[in-house]
Amino acid sequence: MRTDIIHSTFLRATDAHACPADNPAPDVARAASGAPKSAWQPRAALFFTVFLPFALGQYMHALLRNVNAVLVPDLVASLSLNPGQLGLLTSTFFFSVVLAQLPTAYALERHGPHKVQLAMLLLAALGALMFSYGETLTQLVLARAVIGFGVGGTMMVAVKAISAGVVAERLPSSVGFLIAFGGLGSASATLPLRRVLEVTDWRGLFIGLAALTAAIALFAWLVRPRQGGAPATKAPSARALLEVWRNRAFRKTIMLVLLSHTIYWGIQGLWIGRWLSDVARFSEGTVAYLLYLSMAAVIFGAIAVGMITEWAKRRGIAPLDVAAIGVAGFVLVQCAIVLNHAPTFPQLAVLFTLVGTITGIEYTIVQQSLPRELAGPASSCLNMLIFIGAFLVQAGFGQLIGLWAPDALGHYPAIAYRVGFGVLVLVQLPGLVMYALGRRSASRMAPLLVAEEDFAKPA
């Protein structure tokens, strides 16, 4: 990923964010006189002290969220887990992320993004260490919950810190770059970790992940700006969350995108890999490679979504319309999985993750559609809904697959996955239908509104 592209995202907001207008710093003053060095330095400082530390936090969030997708054979062999238990173990991450939302929001109000990032990642490192020493399903579930709680607020903290230094029209690209770092973490949780497992077991792997998480936490703390930072915001109260829920723009957004977002996160971190193993009968090495390609696609998909959203907005196309096209494509990919056409299995695995990145547009739509005073509560509310849904999808999908008996090799039948993905398609269709009906109603009303305005004009 080219850092000069990311640097340009911060170009217009840097001077106002870095230095007060009435007392510019020497570098900014030299920038005004045309010196190229000073034009680069504020953007570079903002990138390395604000964007990169929080993007690395998002990297660890995705890595730790998806690590179980590659570890399934090892965990099943160690603990003899059935699909329901496997779904519970992995989905516990999402449930604990939900629990982390409000505490993270209150901590942000009191201590700011960098202190919260440090505490969260150190807690996640402790959870990874606990996981490496877990001997029973209960111990591993508890450790997984600690990990989820530790990285549960990374997106909220990142958006909070970065939005202070980015102009509003650049927010979609900024969020896209954040999600791209998450895609890099997801990709690292596949083939690279499978290579690590060739020299150590899953317990040694988690010790290494604990060390890496702690190192990123310390890096973020050491490079933090020594003054300034994101402006203080009020932590979301129950009343504010209720006000967000009553907001029509918020409800329209989640009605269309929320279910697809939860399905994307709940399935791609575990069940796509199991589908490739059980139905396509690929080896674990091949599964890891396809998951690597899938997760790597997130990087390009996330950046593309941000750029397409900005391009569409300049041409009068609303972000919600872009989201509708993407969600429809995501549902079509799932329909193709239900059809069970074996030659297309590898392509469908990659397309599920690539097209699913469109669901990340939800954060941008919510931030841009709601009043500024509701932006923080809206992010908290959205995160809670997404992770609750992802928990239910990941655990529920495992329970559904478990209704069928495995064969002698432990593979579950294709019909189990076809039914599972069919159910997912059915629950997403009402949102698309309601969006289409709303668009049709709005188009019918538009000429009437124009005529009413013309009638009201004085002669």
Side-chain angles (χ1 to χ4, degrees), residues 83 271 278 396-405 412-413 416-418 420:
W271 296 115
D278 290 347
F397 198 87
Q399 295 293 335
L400 186 58
I401 298 299
L403 295 177
W404 281 263
Y412 285 80
Y417 287 89
R418 296 181 73 181

Side-chain angles (χ1 to χ4, degrees), residues 9-32:
T9 301
F10 303 105
L11 174 61
R12 292 179 55 192
T14 301
D15 289 351
H17 177 71
C19 306
D22 57 346
N23 187 24
D27 283 342
V28 178
R30 286 194 299 271

Side-chain angles (χ1 to χ4, degrees), residues 105-370:
Y106 281 102
L108 272 173
E109 178 193 12
R110 294 179 61 86
H111 304 293
H114 286 83
K115 286 185 179 179
V116 174
Q117 175 94 326
L118 175 68
M120 286 193 313
L121 292 185
L122 289 179
L123 181 62
L126 175 62
L129 198 60
M130 291 169 57
F131 199 95
S132 70
Y133 287 100
E135 297 288 347
T136 66
L137 176 61
T138 302
Q139 292 173 348
L140 293 181
V141 167
L142 177 61
R144 181 85 172 154
V146 174
I147 293 173
F149 197 92
V151 297
T154 53
M155 188 66 174
M156 184 197 312
V157 173
V159 172
K160 161 72 176 173
I162 292 171
S163 61
V166 178
V167 290
E169 59 267 28
R170 289 292 188 177
L171 187 59
S173 291
S174 301
V175 174
F177 287 126
L178 278 176
I179 296 175
F181 265 84
L184 186 60
S186 298
S188 300
T190 56
L191 196 60
L193 289 194
R194 175 55 60 183
R195 295 288 180 261
V196 174
L197 289 174
E198 295 175 0
V199 296
T200 185
D201 61 3
W202 63 271
R203 297 183 185 278
L205 170 64
F206 268 89
I207 292 175
L209 290 176
L212 178 60
T213 307
I216 290 176
L218 293 175
F219 167 77
W221 180 251
L222 291 174
V223 301
R224 73 192 188 281
R226 291 302 186 264
Q227 59 184 2
T233 58
K234 186 177 180 180
S237 63
R239 182 176 179 180
L241 294 176
L242 182 60
E243 191 174 349
V244 167
W245 178 257
R246 290 173 175 170
N247 185 278
R248 186 170 178 267
F250 182 82
R251 292 201 310 273
K252 282 181 62 177
T253 302
I254 65 171
M255 189 177 300
L256 174 65
V257 189
L258 179 66
L259 279 174
S260 296
H261 203 158
T262 62
I263 288 167
Y264 170 61
W265 276 19
I267 297 299
Q268 62 102 0
L270 178 62
W271 296 115
I272 280 292
R274 292 308 88 210
W275 172 70
L276 289 170
S277 177
D278 290 347
V279 180
R281 299 299 178 94
F282 291 137
S283 67
E284 291 303 326
T286 303
V287 169
Y289 175 70
L290 288 173
L291 289 178
Y292 174 75
L293 293 179
S294 300
M295 302 306 183
V298 174
I299 302 171
F300 303 100
I303 295 174
V305 167
M307 292 182 172
I308 289 171
T309 303
E310 293 179 1
W311 174 87
K313 189 173 182 180
R314 289 194 296 269
R315 284 155 180 80
I317 303 173
L320 196 64
D321 296 331
V322 177
I325 296 171
V327 168
F330 186 54
V331 172
L332 287 176
V333 172
Q334 295 165 66
C335 290
I337 292 175
V338 174
L339 294 177
N340 203 46
H341 186 233
T344 60
F345 284 166
Q347 292 84 357
L348 290 176
V350 175
L351 282 174
F352 181 90
T353 307
L354 175 63
V355 180
T357 56
I358 188 65
T359 58
I361 199 175
E362 205 169 14
Y363 289 103
T364 298
I365 296 174
V366 167
Q367 288 289 322
Q368 293 183 340
S369 302
L370 271 66

